[in-house]
Amino acid sequence: AIAEALKTNQTLTTLFLQDNSLGAEGGLAIAEALKINQTVTTLTLSSNSLGVEGGMAVAEALKANQTLTKLKLGTSYDEESAGNFPYPECLPVYVATAEAVALRPDLDVTMEKSEEFDSLVNEAKLQILG
């Protein structure tokens, strides 16, 4: 329901969805809405167990959405792997997200173990710039 509302939203700029058990299905729905939404600038998805499928969808949506400037992910992808970075099964999500951030310098993404994520972003920037 929230994802459908986001598609037509013209006023909401900040959305806090932390700890809502969205899962992969919710991640896919939010990602589809992000591709269309032109007003949300800040989105928090921490602690939602989006999984690889939902996380990849959000990462891909970041490439299409030019409005979002702050995304808080925390440990959104896999709660059970917390403590190890990169979480082996979620590495593709982190790389895809890092690539999206490298393409959008105005986009601030924060997540657990941010130093390691920042390193991935820098690697992605080097690859993109050649």
Side-chain angles (χ1 to χ4, degrees):
I2 286 261
E4 286 302 312
L6 278 178
K7 290 179 181 178
T8 58
N9 166 59
Q10 296 182 8
T11 55
L12 183 71
T13 59
T14 300
L15 184 58
F16 185 83
L17 292 175
Q18 183 171 339
D19 291 321
N20 276 286
S21 301
L22 296 176
E25 186 176 326
L28 290 167
I30 293 293
E32 285 304 309
L34 284 176
K35 291 178 184 176
I36 298 168
N37 182 280
Q38 296 180 11
T39 58
V40 173
T41 58
T42 302
L43 176 61
T44 299
L45 291 174
S46 303
S47 301
N48 275 297
S49 299
L50 301 179
V52 173
E53 185 179 15
M56 288 298 287
V58 169
E60 288 301 313
L62 295 178
K63 296 175 184 175
N65 180 300
Q66 297 298 308
T67 308
L68 195 67
T69 56
K70 185 171 283 196
L71 176 62
K72 297 178 184 178
L73 295 170
T75 56
S76 295
Y77 302 129
D78 185 6
E79 304 295 322
E80 296 174 12
S81 297
N84 299 320
F85 185 93
Y87 312 143
E89 59 279 1
C90 295
L91 184 58
V93 176
Y94 285 98
V95 170
T97 305
E99 289 171 351
V101 171
L103 291 169
R104 295 248 338 262
D106 64 320
L107 179 61
D108 178 26
V109 175
T110 57
M111 61 177 54
E112 184 182 39
K113 308 285 185 183
S114 61
E115 288 179 15
E116 291 89 342
F117 178 72
D118 290 345
S119 177
L120 283 175
V121 170
N122 289 333
E123 288 176 29
K125 284 179 182 177
L126 288 174
Q127 289 179 353
I128 290 169
L129 297 174

